[in-house]
Amino acid sequence: PPDVEVLGRSSWTLLHSIAATYPETPSRTQQADLLRFVDLFAKLYPCWVCAEDFQAYAAARVPRVASRDEFGIWLCGAHNEVNRKLGKKEFDCSKWLERWKTGPKD
Ligand code: FAD
């Protein structure tokens, strides 16, 4: 199986980059596509423990896809949930777009 840390870093990069380039006012189709993507991503994520917890999180707190900022904040919350679980520092979600709009800095 893939390295859980390498997989995690690259996956968060993909997810937050999708959020940062998601429209500020998405169409109904774009909203439906994003919901399907998150649902399938959570089902197919190739770390089964991670996938189970992410699916449970997305079931308890349904992804908010009505705007770029809503989705970015939702995703930041999902990432912080994993950070808490792993004993990592929580990220200040008011800074998510600044962190991800021009790509990773670390
Ligand atoms: P990462 O957590 O990968 O973060 C990368 C960068 O994102 C950070 O350097 C920071 O700049 C930024 N960042 C951090 N927090 C946020 C935030 N809240 N919002 C926006 N940006 C942020 N690993 C496990 O061991 N067990 C699990 O159950 C698990 N579940 C996961 C579920 C998912 C859906 C994903 C994508 C990953 C999961 N991982 C899990 C991997 C884990 O989250 C980390 O990716 C991995 O431990 C590497 O951590 P890192 O310290 O390099 O930074």
Side-chain angles (χ1 to χ4, degrees), residues 11-43 54 58 61-76 96:
S11 297
W12 288 122
T13 299
L14 172 65
L15 290 168
H16 291 297
S17 300
I18 287 173
T21 56
Y22 187 63
E24 282 172 42
T25 53
S27 68
R28 292 168 72 96
T29 303
Q30 286 169 317
Q31 295 182 48
D33 284 349
L34 185 55
L35 276 178
R36 280 203 305 164
F37 174 79
V38 172
D39 184 53
L40 290 172
F41 180 94
K43 282 183 183 142
F54 191 57
R61 304 192 57 179
V62 175
R64 301 180 61 204
V65 297
S67 71
R68 171 183 304 171
D69 208 51
E70 272 200 4
F71 182 63
I73 298 287
W74 180 86
L75 190 61
C76 181
W96 82 271

